[in-house]
């Protein structure tokens, strides 16, 4: 079923209650990608990722999603090419998902919603000194977005799924080593790209978005484990971590480019 889910402010996670709209925001994310309106850019090179599994540090629950964080002190894990003018270092990856398989992604494609979406967050290490600085600057971040659909079991994702119970509560952290996120990329290199923002506070308009056209497949039980995580900390009344996606934002004066015809 395809439905363009319009979240009301009422049922959004408290994190977004205050900051749903950036006053004067002209390039907010996520957006609905209208395939017919996207413009093919023949000189858009393929996106090149090089990830070193040894840079994987830990996984933690920040009260809004679970983040797998990487050592970004060197250029060992980077993305380059595509719309990017230089390499960007991998800082973390995380997901957004729904309470069931009918919705959960942040971006949509011709109003089609996916059950989840993976974001690989990188920062522009050529222009800025730290991730925290880059997050506040134009072209500071490059985020690769990958849709998830329910289908075959994802072998390589299972290592991550198995560790999730250890970060069930907000602010819990556990060591997580030797994971190469390349295994989560779809086989097809086709993508859309547009200028946008973080979809969580501080919602800064610093992101070059790269949205892969093809989803990856995970099975129902793997997504079910995502939904067993909690927004709440130990001792607080349990609130399941589900529907941690931001509502669609207006395209305004932006063009989405595609790497494919
Ligand atoms: N959905 S998204 O747009 O891909 C996305 C991102 F791009 C992010 F960078 C973050 N992000 C937020 C912080 C805290 C920063 C800590 C330093 C000060 C600013 C906030 N770390 N990473 C994030 F949470 C997120 F969801
Ligand atoms: Zn995200």
């Amino acid at each position: 079923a395809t439905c363009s889910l319009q979240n009301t402010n009422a049922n959004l996670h408290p994190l977004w209650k205050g900051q749903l709209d950036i006053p004067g925001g002209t390039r907010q994310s996520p957006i609905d990608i209208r395939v017919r309106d996207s413009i093919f850019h023949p000189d858009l090179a393929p996106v090149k990722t090089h990830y070193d599994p040894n840079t994987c540090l830990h996984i933690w629950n920040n009260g809004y999603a679970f983040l797998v964080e990487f050592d970004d002190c060197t250029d060992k894990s980077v993305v380059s090419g595509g719309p990017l003018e230089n390499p960007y270092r991998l800082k973390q990856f995380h997901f957004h998902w729904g309470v069931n398989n009918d919705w959960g992604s942040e971006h949509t494609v011709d109003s089609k919603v996916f059950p989840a979406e993976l974001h690989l967050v990188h920062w522009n290490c050529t222009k800025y000194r730290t991730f925290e600085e880059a997050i506040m600057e134009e072209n500071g971040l490059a985020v690769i977005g990958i849709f998830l659909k329910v289908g075959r079991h994802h072998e390589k994702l299972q290592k991550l799924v198995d560790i999730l119970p250890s970060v069930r509560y907000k602010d819990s952290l556990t060591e997580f080593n030797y994971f190469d996120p390349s295994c989560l990329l779809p086989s097809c290199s086709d993508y859309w790209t547009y200028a946008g923002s973080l979809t969580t506070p501080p919602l800064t308009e610093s992101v070059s978005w790269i949205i892969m056209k093809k989803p990856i497949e995970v099975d129902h039980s793997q997504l079910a484990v995502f939904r067993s995580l909690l927004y709440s900390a130990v001792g607080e009344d349990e609130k399941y971590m589900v529907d941690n996606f931001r509502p669609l934002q207006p395209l305004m004066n932006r063009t989405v480019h595609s790497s494919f015809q």
Side-chain angles (χ1 to χ4, degrees):
T2 59
C3 61
S4 66
L5 197 82
Q6 291 307 327
N7 243 322
T8 59
N9 201 349
N11 63 356
L12 266 182
H13 182 261
L15 194 66
W16 287 304
K17 283 234 180 318
Q19 291 199 350
L20 256 190
D21 294 306
I22 283 282
T26 59
R27 48 175 279 189
Q28 289 291 295
S29 295
I31 59 168
D32 176 41
I33 295 167
R34 303 219 47 78
V35 178
R36 278 180 304 288
D37 299 343
S38 64
I39 294 180
F40 170 56
H41 233 295
D43 55 1
L44 261 182
V47 170
K48 287 193 305 295
T49 54
H50 179 268
Y51 298 138
D52 176 346
N54 290 303
T55 57
C56 191
L57 294 173
H58 54 250
I59 179 167
W60 71 289
N61 177 333
N62 72 352
Y64 125 82
F66 62 88
L67 309 183
V68 178
E69 296 207 297
F70 289 76
D71 168 8
D72 61 350
C73 301
T74 71
D75 281 342
K76 284 190 186 134
S77 293
V78 293
V79 63
S80 61
L84 307 175
E85 70 287 350
N86 47 47
Y88 286 58
R89 270 184 208 162
L90 177 64
K91 171 72 181 171
Q92 51 105 326
F93 71 78
H94 63 272
F95 297 79
H96 304 264
W97 60 91
V99 66
N100 58 47
N101 294 332
D102 292 342
W103 60 74
S105 64
E106 297 213 299
H107 293 86
T108 56
V109 180
D110 288 343
S111 298
K112 177 184 170 51
V113 181
F114 291 83
E117 184 173 333
L118 161 61
H119 290 155
L120 293 151
V121 180
H122 313 73
W123 59 277
N124 190 336
C125 50
T126 308
K127 282 177 70 179
Y128 307 111
R129 279 179 308 102
T130 64
F131 170 70
E132 285 72 12
E133 182 192 346
I135 220 169
M136 309 309 285
E137 302 293 336
E138 174 129 23
N139 297 329
L141 301 186
V143 182
I144 300 177
I146 298 160
F147 295 115
L148 274 64
K149 72 179 225 186
V150 178
R152 282 170 32 82
H153 180 78
H154 194 300
E155 287 297 315
K156 296 280 176 64
L157 181 70
Q158 196 54 36
K159 178 183 175 187
L160 176 56
V161 169
D162 286 339
I163 202 93
L164 289 183
S166 65
V167 287
R168 183 157 189 257
Y169 296 96
K170 178 180 179 198
D171 295 332
S172 49
L173 177 145
T174 191
E175 205 177 319
F176 187 65
N177 307 123
Y178 208 75
F179 184 81
D180 176 354
S182 311
C183 71
L184 300 175
L185 297 172
S187 50
C188 176
S189 58
D190 291 346
Y191 63 88
W192 294 283
T193 182
Y194 79 96
S197 73
L198 272 73
T199 66
T200 64
L203 300 172
T204 39
E205 299 182 333
S206 55
V207 181
S208 299
W209 279 97
I210 296 167
I211 308 288
M212 304 312 290
K213 179 182 79 176
K214 286 273 198 261
I216 59 170
E217 284 190 36
V218 302
D219 73 22
H220 179 89
S221 65
Q222 292 177 307
L223 270 185
V225 178
F226 284 20
R227 301 185 186 111
S228 70
L229 296 185
L230 300 177
Y231 282 129
S232 39
V234 174
E236 293 176 352
D237 58 318
E238 299 201 339
K239 282 195 284 302
Y240 283 106
M241 184 180 274
V242 292
D243 296 338
N244 58 351
F245 53 86
R246 191 190 188 196
L248 291 173
Q249 301 299 308
L251 184 62
M252 300 182 113
N253 181 27
R254 287 181 283 181
T255 301
V256 176
H257 289 107
S258 65
S259 71
F260 61 97
Q261 275 185 321

